[in-house]
Amino acid sequence: MADFDIVALGEPLVELNQTHEGQRQYLQGFGGDTSNAVIAAARQGARCAYLTRVGNDAFGKQFLDLWQNEGVDTSGVEVDDDAHTGLYFVQHGPDGHAFSYLRRGSAASLMTPASLDAGLIERTRFLHVSGISMAISTTACDTVFAAIERAHAAGAQVSLDSNLRLRLWPVDRARAILREAMRTADVFLPSMDDMQHLTGNDDPERTLDWIRDGGAPGVVVLKLGKDGSIIDDGRSRTAMPALRVQAVDATGAGDCFAGSLLARRCQGDAWEDAVRYANAAAALSTLGYGAVDPLPRAEQVWERLKETSG
Ligand code: KDG
């Protein structure tokens, strides 16, 4: 039996989140899409580990404490004496949230395939990676592909979240790399917004056709925001409704969806049940500021599901 349900690979970012639109007050928290996902999964009871690099600085130490407190294994986290932990700002406006980054040259962006040597990928059921993990540098991109190969060689499944961030790479490179990566994914989690940038079309069915024609072999869950999601398991497509809430800050909601979905799959849920659960978890994660603090625990998600079904 594998020691871990989910090992994620990517970059954690210290978060400074503007809590009042237009004002200069920022709440310090934690972000980084794959770190958010693995913490969300751990809060749903999954056995998790994180593969990354942090600086030998106050924020790197805060992250190590955070993961350890959340029960996320840190034996694959490297600490770099010469590079810093990445940082980002979240600002809120009429069109939702926007990110600004201070991350170039960060410890995580300097990862190489040698950063995988802790042997965790060989001991997990799922490896989870994202578009951001591949966008932060070319060596990180190589590391993701090396991790995917190692995961498959060891019999693990690969989960890929599109998480397209066009501040990090040009759209043509993003399209080419994400297309290559989605061909290796057992679970592909694209958002409609991301796919619209990559394909130029805004129709979910045509987008799923594009993904299948591009050679994606696994289960695809296309996230449609307030319109829910579509599960495509290669045989049929099932529309799943969204759960409506009064969102305060949607930062990290997609990561919560990914982590919760994988956690529930590891606990034996069928795809529809896992997506229903992940939708509820993601909706709850938007009720407070920050990517990590509002991530719900399993009891809260079950409570919410009970309310909405009853
Ligand atoms: O999904 C939320 C993340 O995007 C956020 O936490 C910051 O990882 C981040 C990024 O690179 O945008």
Side-chain angles (χ1 to χ4, degrees):
M1 195 178 122
D3 296 324
F4 299 109
D5 295 315
I6 302 153
V7 171
L9 167 64
E11 172 159 48
L13 292 177
V14 173
E15 178 182 87
L16 291 174
N17 200 315
Q18 185 186 41
T19 49
H20 297 93
E21 195 178 323
Q23 290 188 18
R24 289 181 300 169
Q25 275 172 18
Y26 289 82
L27 182 70
Q28 195 233 299
F30 301 98
D33 65 338
T34 46
S35 170
N36 304 336
V38 91
I39 293 171
R43 288 194 183 179
Q44 314 317 312
R47 300 163 306 157
C48 298
Y50 195 42
L51 281 170
T52 192
R53 306 182 84 250
V54 293
N56 188 4
D57 48 36
F59 292 131
K61 289 191 184 71
Q62 283 186 6
F63 265 113
L64 285 163
D65 287 345
L66 170 74
W67 295 317
Q68 281 154 15
N69 290 335
E70 297 287 345
V72 173
D73 184 287
T74 55
S75 56
V77 177
E78 295 178 320
V79 179
D80 189 323
D81 284 336
D82 301 315
H84 61 281
T85 307
L87 170 74
Y88 79 123
F89 298 86
V90 188
Q91 279 153 334
H92 301 273
D95 300 327
H97 60 268
F99 299 147
S100 328
Y101 299 117
L102 285 178
R103 72 193 318 178
R104 192 160 301 152
S106 68
S109 72
L110 302 179
M111 70 170 80
T112 67
S115 310
L116 306 174
D117 285 348
L120 300 179
I121 295 178
E122 286 72 20
R123 296 162 51 205
T124 186
R125 295 172 72 180
F126 279 103
L127 167 71
H128 178 67
V129 295
S130 78
I132 297 174
S133 320
M134 298 186 289
I136 54 175
S137 70
T138 51
T139 60
C141 189
D142 292 347
T143 307
V144 169
F145 280 98
I148 290 173
E149 254 186 68
R150 283 170 78 148
H152 279 156
Q157 299 208 11
V158 171
S159 153
L160 169 69
D161 191 323
S162 59
N163 271 350
L164 178 69
R165 300 287 183 269
L166 289 174
R167 297 235 166 139
L168 301 182
W169 53 356
V171 70
D172 289 340
R173 179 171 162 83
R175 185 185 303 105
I177 302 277
L178 273 165
R179 230 175 169 197
E180 197 54 40
M182 83 186 184
R183 293 193 179 117
T184 70
D186 302 281
V187 182
F188 182 38
L189 305 173
S191 73
M192 193 60 218
D193 279 353
D194 289 355
M195 294 313 290
Q196 209 167 330
H197 286 291
L198 297 183
T199 68
N201 94 64
D202 61 0
D203 175 64
E205 292 294 333
R206 278 174 44 212
T207 299
L208 283 165
D209 293 343
W210 185 91
I211 291 170
R212 287 290 172 211
D213 295 347
V219 172
V220 180
V221 183
L222 179 63
K223 297 172 281 179
L224 308 175
K226 62 178 181 15
D227 295 324
S229 55
I230 303 176
I231 307 170
D232 179 334
D233 65 3
R235 289 181 300 278
S236 58
R237 292 179 180 169
T238 310
M240 302 291 295
L243 207 151
R244 297 208 185 279
V245 287
Q246 282 294 330
V248 171
D249 174 14
T251 307
D255 312 327
C256 180
F257 180 88
S260 306
L261 179 75
L262 297 179
R264 288 309 310 168
R265 285 293 294 164
C266 289
Q267 286 159 39
D269 275 9
W271 280 104
E272 284 183 33
D273 294 332
V275 167
R276 199 171 295 116
Y277 182 101
N279 269 336
L284 290 173
S285 77
T286 67
L287 298 180
Y289 281 100
V292 168
D293 284 350
L295 290 171
R297 294 182 188 279
E299 312 80 75
Q300 294 161 276
V301 184
W302 287 121
E303 196 54 39
R304 186 64 192 217
L305 282 167
K306 235 192 289 163
E307 282 165 22
T308 46
S309 69

